[in-house]
Amino acid sequence: MSKAEASVRERITVNLTPKSVQALEALTGNTGDTKTDTINRALQLYEFLDRVTREGGKVYVQESESETLERVRFL
């Protein structure tokens, strides 16, 4: 990322659903990150997952108590 790209900032207002508010509160409580940092990370992760799946890749998760990999599908 160039210095010009790194300096670009945008301020937006977001209306969160109650479920998203709960998720944001849980994440900031677990990580100690600010709401801004948490939302930025979430968007970066979403973009990465979207790019992987658009390019034909697959995303899998494995619960801590399970030996089974489960494919994640984004709708």
Side-chain angles (χ1 to χ4, degrees):
M1 180 181 302
S2 71
K3 286 185 180 183
E5 290 173 320
S7 67
V8 173
R9 302 234 188 257
E10 182 174 349
R11 182 176 294 266
I12 62 170
T13 300
V14 177
N15 295 313
L16 300 176
T17 64
K19 191 171 183 178
S20 293
V21 171
Q22 289 177 332
L24 182 59
E25 292 297 327
L27 282 166
T28 57
N30 291 339
T31 64
D33 291 335
T34 65
K35 289 179 181 181
T36 297
D37 289 340
T38 302
I39 292 167
N40 280 314
R41 286 180 183 214
L43 288 170
Q44 292 166 30
L45 176 61
Y46 182 34
E47 187 280 328
F48 169 75
L49 296 172
D50 178 65
R51 182 169 28 90
V52 166
T53 56
R54 271 187 300 104
E55 293 175 356
K58 295 174 181 62
V59 178
Y60 292 88
V61 296
Q62 181 178 19
E63 297 279 344
S64 61
E65 300 296 321
S66 174
E67 294 183 18
T68 304
L69 286 177
E70 294 189 38
R71 184 173 173 191
V72 178
R73 296 179 193 265
F74 299 93
L75 305 174

